[in-house]
Amino acid sequence: MTAKYPSARRRLQASLLTLSFLLALGATPAAAEETEAGAAVAVSTAGAAEAADQSDDGVSRGDVIIVTARRRQETAQEVPLAISVVRGDSIEATGNFNVVKLQQLAPTLQVYTSNPRNTSVNIRGLGVPFGLTSDGFEQGVGIYVDDVYNSRVAAATFDFLDVEQVEVLRGPQGTLYGKNTTAGAINITTNQPTFDFEGRAELSVGNLNYRQAKAAISGPLSDTVAARLAIAATSRRGTLYNVTSERWINEQDNLGIRGQLLFKPSETLSITLSGDYSKQDPEGYGTTYVRVGRTQRALSRQYDALVAAVNAANPGRNYAVPSTNPYDRLTDLDANLNAGNKIGGVSARVKWDVGPGTFTSITAWRFWDWQPENDRDFTGLSIVSKSQNPSQQDQYSQEFRYNYEGDKIDFVVGLFGFKQRIDTQGTEQQGADASKWSLTGALANDPGVLNGLTATNTQYLKSTSAALFGQLSWKVTDALTIQPGARLNYDKKSGFYQRVVTNGAGAVISCSPAPAAGTALAAQCGVYQPQVSAPSDSAWNFTYDFNVNYKVAPDILAYATYAKSFKTLGINQNGLPLNADNSVNYDASTVKPESINHFEVGLKTQFLDRRATFNLSAFRTDIRNFQATVNGGQFGTVRGYLANAEKVRSQGIEADFKIVASDRFTAYANGAYTDAKYKKFTNAPCPPELSGGTLQPKDQPADYSNAGIPNTPSPRQCDISGQRLPGVSKWAFSYGAEANVPVTLLAKDGQVYFGIDGNYRSHWNSNASPSIYTNVKGYALTNFRVGFRSDGVDIFGWVRNAFDVNYIELLQVAPGNTGLIAGTVGDARTWGGTVKFSF
């Protein structure tokens, strides 16, 4: 450790000025509507480098990857579980700047987002219920940043900030992690403060007015204190043109900052204080028209006829969507759009070597602030004129952990506590076209029946968790290791939900007793019903896992795992569904815990003098009482609520290959086959093609051209047993390669390099109950980069989606069951250049 640092401090100050200049040049906040987040600045930490040097006694000639998946440093090939590791430099080179984009590198990761709050992060098809988010359920995929659990899935949409590497762990993770997760974990490690002065700055520009600046500096403040500061900002013009507002929407707008202080008073004790803040303020997330599908409703109650009726009621209006081709990237949304999103917090991590083990304490507070405005009818008509559910969250977590490593026995034992509160204030309002769109008869001709009808909800959720967990590794022989683990978990959830409904004149309405049929009040109560609920529940759970791994040869590891896991109880926080008589179904206020049985076998190999790795895993996960998000499709009656599917099964095979052929060529290829199905789900919401009739999925005709069956009573539930889970491609692949040649350029020795990476996903369905109208076609994306790198300098140009492939990221069924399908279109070809400096 260096004794004196006056010159280092001066260099640190000068670098901060340089950093400020680069940020001002690269991402000036010229307009609030034209920016999104900075990505990672990856600088390897000294600790990881030392571990890499020591691993395998320096024998390995390949790229040794150090992971902390099991709460200790070890090589990825030693870990007896399925894990994908993405280094910080790979994240930067491929442009995968957040968890949403990371799925392009990790085939079994599926991330879908209609906005930050409504984001699904799944592994092997499991994790977060697909559809509108409810605060009352737990994530099945945990997101950890430097050991701190992020409870809000919106964290997946923020850009990586100064990340060293990301580990995607597949399968239940309940005996090594504080918060129990049933499908996997995303373990993000940031670069830590160093006692050697170092820094990095990066500037990127591209088409669509893309600008990004990122920088990080690290160095000593004294003999025992080091600091690190990272900052990033990104802006990009929107990709969807709104002909109503005459603006480009779905832009990128992000700013992030992270600071860390490391106190190291001795070789056995270190204390790291961290603080971070990130914000997004784009105008988004808008959708575009994709298609219209026929339902079983009367033809007069389907999309085309309803548009004609609205036009007829408004002479001279002649409404039509700006384009029926989604890849024209046009929309006409008429409601305000906003996606204000802030996240941040502080943490303290203490690591103390005590005897033969290490004691770790992680104390953290985090917040999330969500300020949305949406157009929930997905059209330029004023049907739903306002839809927003702003939320504020505070979470506190404390984890104590003790790691022991011995000749024959290793173990980890931990204690975890978590407390969370979320407050939400929602507003949904009907517009001037709502009566004609939603009602029939004389009421449909009176805009005043629904115009201005407003539902205002107030809700909160209180959640408390505590757990004792641990895992033991017994080295029976040099080759055979047995690893049992166990977890005792307690959860308590309590919530409150109140919806107040007012008419266009601002008067509060009541729907009890039931109003007379055919009246304006009855029509209003059919759209929004006042409601009050205060669900509360608690549960204890004991779960365990058992792993056996065996070194068949020095470079071949075989393993088998069984895990008995759970996802804790849920409560419905978005309002409760209605019974057939339009009364509130209070029995649906709580949702049963999931019960999971997980089986996995795998093989990890190294060959070609450890320049190549090939890993294979096969898994099966059976779930009883799977927690699914369902939505009846009506305007306003409920945003979406939780229900239990009786049985779900996910099974498949995954393979990962990487080769470092020489200093001049590296390549990787990853693939996954995933078969995820509802084994039994008899009370699911019906897909849109069955709304308005009595058919069940097994009776679906192949041709809906004769739809328009007389309007018979529609079933509120359908049996979708045997159908695939939403959001899951059966086949997914990713690949990449880079080659370089040594050159001398401008008197600097370096390398000219060429890189390619890409991914493929087969078709998948984008509705909680699979629909013929929400089937998303498979697609393949390809990216290129070419550049020059030397000591401390890297300059390259890049093209993403190089072949300008048209693809859909997400489809949504519009409320009202009229057959309208809206969607989010993936980015067209983008290109640009990046300059990086490090010292």
Side-chain angles (χ1 to χ4, degrees):
M1 205 178 289
T2 308
K4 304 291 183 184
Y5 303 105
S7 63
R9 291 195 189 97
R10 287 194 294 270
R11 290 169 65 193
L12 185 62
Q13 293 169 351
S15 299
L16 280 170
L17 291 174
T18 303
L19 166 62
S20 301
F21 171 74
L22 279 172
L23 286 172
L25 177 67
T28 305
E33 65 269 10
E34 288 189 82
T35 12
E36 194 203 83
V41 178
V43 182
S44 298
T45 64
E50 291 169 4
D53 291 340
Q54 295 167 2
S55 66
D56 298 320
D57 299 321
V59 174
S60 174
R61 298 177 60 191
D63 184 16
V64 177
I65 297 176
I66 305 301
V67 298
T68 58
R70 294 197 296 171
R71 301 314 194 188
R72 56 181 179 268
Q73 288 192 334
E74 55 192 335
T75 68
Q77 291 300 108
E78 293 176 328
V79 181
L81 57 83
I83 180 172
S84 300
V85 184
V86 184
R87 304 291 291 271
D89 52 0
S90 296
I91 291 170
E92 293 179 342
T94 57
N96 295 286
F97 51 81
N98 59 21
V99 173
V100 175
K101 298 294 185 182
L102 193 65
Q103 61 182 326
Q104 296 182 12
L105 300 176
T108 50
L109 179 67
Q110 302 100 22
V111 188
Y112 307 103
T113 178
S114 59
N115 60 45
R117 175 184 172 88
N118 294 307
T119 298
S120 297
V121 179
N122 291 340
I123 293 175
R124 297 168 172 173
L126 307 174
V128 177
F130 195 88
L132 292 175
T133 295
S134 169
D135 296 328
F137 66 81
E138 300 286 333
Q139 297 182 50
V141 176
I143 300 175
Y144 294 85
V145 180
D146 292 337
D147 288 346
V148 176
Y149 174 71
N150 284 251
S151 66
R152 301 312 303 165
V153 74
T157 68
F158 284 96
D159 289 359
F160 295 133
L161 184 60
D162 198 21
V163 165
E164 178 189 5
Q165 71 181 25
V166 179
E167 303 162 17
V168 180
L169 287 68
R170 310 193 286 270
Q173 307 295 326
T175 61
L176 281 172
Y177 284 76
K179 199 77 169 83
N180 182 65
T181 55
T182 58
I186 298 173
N187 188 31
I188 301 170
T189 304
T190 69
N191 293 298
Q192 299 299 298
T194 60
F195 284 96
D196 294 320
F197 185 75
E198 63 183 32
R200 199 169 183 187
E202 177 180 330
L203 180 64
S204 298
V205 295
N207 66 328
L208 303 181
N209 296 327
Y210 174 76
R211 293 175 296 173
Q212 183 180 78
K214 304 185 291 185
I217 51 176
S218 181
L221 301 181
S222 72
D223 292 351
T224 58
V225 180
R228 187 177 192 92
L229 176 67
I231 190 168
T234 307
S235 66
R236 193 182 78 172
R237 193 208 73 190
T239 56
L240 191 65
Y241 187 73
N242 190 337
V243 300
T244 300
S245 64
E246 298 182 341
R247 289 172 53 90
W248 288 97
I249 63 172
N250 295 1
E251 58 208 2
Q252 293 182 8
D253 178 359
N254 200 2
L255 173 68
I257 186 169
R258 173 187 292 275
Q260 295 165 293
L261 281 175
L262 170 63
F263 299 89
K264 197 169 177 61
S266 69
E267 292 300 320
T268 60
L269 176 64
S270 66
I271 303 170
T272 305
L273 304 178
S274 300
D276 67 278
Y277 172 82
S278 294
K279 72 170 185 176
Q280 298 172 334
D281 194 20
E283 185 173 346
Y285 287 58
T287 58
T288 186
Y289 173 101
V290 175
R291 66 175 64 99
V292 168
R294 289 289 182 86
T295 73
Q296 292 186 55
R297 304 179 83 194
L299 289 176
S300 62
R301 304 306 303 156
Q302 300 193 45
Y303 177 82
D304 291 334
L306 290 171
V307 169
V310 170
N311 284 335
N314 297 272
R317 185 169 185 177
N318 199 28
Y319 173 78
V321 295
S323 175
T324 57
N325 178 3
Y327 302 112
D328 287 339
R329 292 178 168 81
L330 296 174
T331 190
D332 62 350
L333 303 178
D334 62 326
N336 291 337
L337 298 175
N338 187 40
N341 200 17
K342 298 176 183 178
I343 199 167
V346 294
S347 66
R349 180 174 55 189
V350 179
K351 297 188 74 172
W352 183 23
D353 293 338
V354 183
T358 301
F359 171 80
T360 304
S361 169
I362 305 108
T363 307
W365 165 75
R366 296 200 63 75
F367 76 90
W368 174 61
D369 190 358
W370 169 233
Q371 294 291 332
E373 292 181 280
N374 306 296
D375 193 325
R376 285 291 297 149
D377 58 40
F378 304 140
T379 74
L381 298 174
S382 182
I383 305 167
V384 179
S385 59
K386 183 182 291 187
S387 180
Q388 55 199 48
N389 278 269
S391 295
Q392 307 83 41
Q393 181 228 223
D394 282 293
Q395 70 167 69
Y396 303 85
S397 61
Q398 174 64 58
E399 183 172 347
F400 298 111
R401 210 168 52 231
Y402 184 74
N403 297 52
Y404 170 87
E405 295 185 45
D407 293 335
K408 285 288 186 180
I409 297 291
D410 298 342
F411 69 80
V412 178
V413 63
L415 185 65
F416 178 75
F418 176 81
K419 191 175 184 66
Q420 174 189 40
R421 175 164 177 142
I422 308 173
D423 289 278
T424 300
Q425 312 82 34
T427 303
E428 188 159 315
Q429 187 175 79
Q430 298 286 290
D433 298 319
S435 292
K436 180 61 71 174
W437 194 268
S438 302
L439 305 179
T440 59
L443 294 175
N445 297 319
D446 183 359
V449 176
L450 295 185
N451 189 20
L453 184 71
T454 304
T456 304
N457 73 74
T458 302
Q459 57 176 295
Y460 67 77
L461 170 75
K462 297 178 181 179
S463 179
T464 302
S465 296
L468 176 66
F469 60 93
Q471 188 181 89
L472 172 73
S473 294
W474 174 31
K475 302 166 188 173
V476 181
T477 69
D478 290 342
L480 177 64
T481 302
I482 296 175
Q483 290 182 185
R487 180 185 187 89
L488 179 64
N489 202 95
Y490 172 77
D491 286 283
K492 181 179 180 180
K493 294 180 184 294
S494 60
F496 174 79
Y497 178 90
Q498 181 178 37
R499 180 194 289 152
V500 176
V501 181
T502 56
N503 60 24
V508 175
I509 71 169
S510 174
C511 299
S512 180
T519 63
L521 181 59
Q524 293 166 349
C525 290
V527 175
Y528 297 136
Q529 275 217 5
Q531 191 177 127
V532 177
S533 63
S536 179
D537 207 350
S538 62
W540 287 88
N541 293 94
F542 176 75
T543 55
Y544 52 90
D545 55 38
F546 190 79
N547 175 280
V548 178
N549 56 87
Y550 184 77
K551 279 199 170 184
V552 179
D555 292 331
I556 301 177
L557 177 69
Y559 65 89
T561 299
Y562 167 73
K564 175 67 175 176
S565 188
F566 79 101
K567 183 193 286 187
T568 192
L569 56 91
I571 63 175
N572 272 308
Q573 279 294 109
N574 288 345
L576 299 176
L578 304 180
N579 296 311
D581 61 357
N582 275 342
S583 61
V584 178
N585 180 8
Y586 288 100
D587 292 337
S589 61
T590 60
V591 182
K592 297 176 184 176
E594 292 182 359
S595 177
I596 295 120
N597 286 289
H598 175 78
F599 307 85
E600 186 160 346
V601 294
L603 194 66
K604 293 194 165 188
T605 69
Q606 299 179 87
F607 51 97
L608 297 180
D609 199 14
R610 296 189 178 178
R611 291 186 182 277
T613 61
F614 178 72
N615 301 331
L616 192 67
S617 60
F619 66 92
R620 174 169 173 154
T621 305
D622 294 302
I623 303 177
R624 288 189 298 108
N625 294 320
F626 178 80
Q627 293 174 0
T629 299
V630 301
N631 194 323
Q634 300 92 342
F635 277 109
T637 53
V638 64
R639 294 183 64 249
Y641 61 95
L642 291 176
N644 290 112
E646 293 95 323
K647 293 180 182 179
V648 160
R649 183 201 66 203
S650 177
Q651 60 185 6
I653 299 175
E654 302 160 343
D656 305 287
F657 171 75
K658 181 178 181 180
I659 184 169
V660 183
S662 69
D663 292 339
R664 301 287 167 238
F665 181 78
T666 62
Y668 70 88
N670 307 319
Y673 168 79
T674 308
D675 177 25
K677 291 183 177 180
Y678 295 111
K679 291 296 291 180
K680 185 178 182 182
F681 195 3
T682 56
N683 62 338
C686 294
E689 58 266 32
L690 297 184
S691 66
T694 57
L695 294 179
Q696 286 287 317
K698 62 182 178 2
D699 305 316
Q700 290 183 33
D703 179 13
Y704 277 78
S705 60
N706 292 320
I709 300 169
N711 201 19
T712 55
S714 174
R716 288 179 177 262
Q717 286 87 32
C718 284
D719 184 349
I720 61 172
S721 303
Q723 299 206 35
R724 288 167 54 187
L725 288 180
V728 190
S729 298
K730 273 195 173 183
W731 297 97
F733 303 96
S734 64
Y735 67 90
E738 185 175 293
N740 68 77
V741 295
V743 298
T744 300
L745 185 64
L746 300 177
K748 291 183 71 71
D749 293 332
Q751 304 168 349
V752 169
Y753 61 91
F754 172 79
I756 180 174
D757 63 90
N759 69 96
Y760 165 78
R761 291 185 180 273
S762 63
H763 72 91
W764 53 279
N765 210 282
S766 186
N767 195 47
S769 294
S771 166
I772 59 175
Y773 303 136
T774 56
N775 191 51
V776 178
K777 293 180 180 179
Y779 58 88
L781 303 179
T782 307
N783 312 312
F784 297 107
R785 62 187 180 276
V786 60
F788 169 79
R789 69 167 69 97
S790 182
D791 290 339
V793 178
D794 189 359
I795 303 172
F796 63 96
W798 42 265
V799 180
R800 293 167 188 148
N801 189 8
F803 300 114
D804 204 19
V805 173
N806 288 328
Y807 67 102
I808 294 290
E809 290 187 342
L810 187 72
L811 293 177
Q812 299 180 70
V813 177
N817 285 329
T818 65
L820 174 62
I821 307 296
T824 303
V825 178
D827 284 355
R829 181 193 296 118
T830 57
W831 49 267
T834 298
V835 180
K836 297 171 88 163
F837 300 96
S838 61
F839 53 89

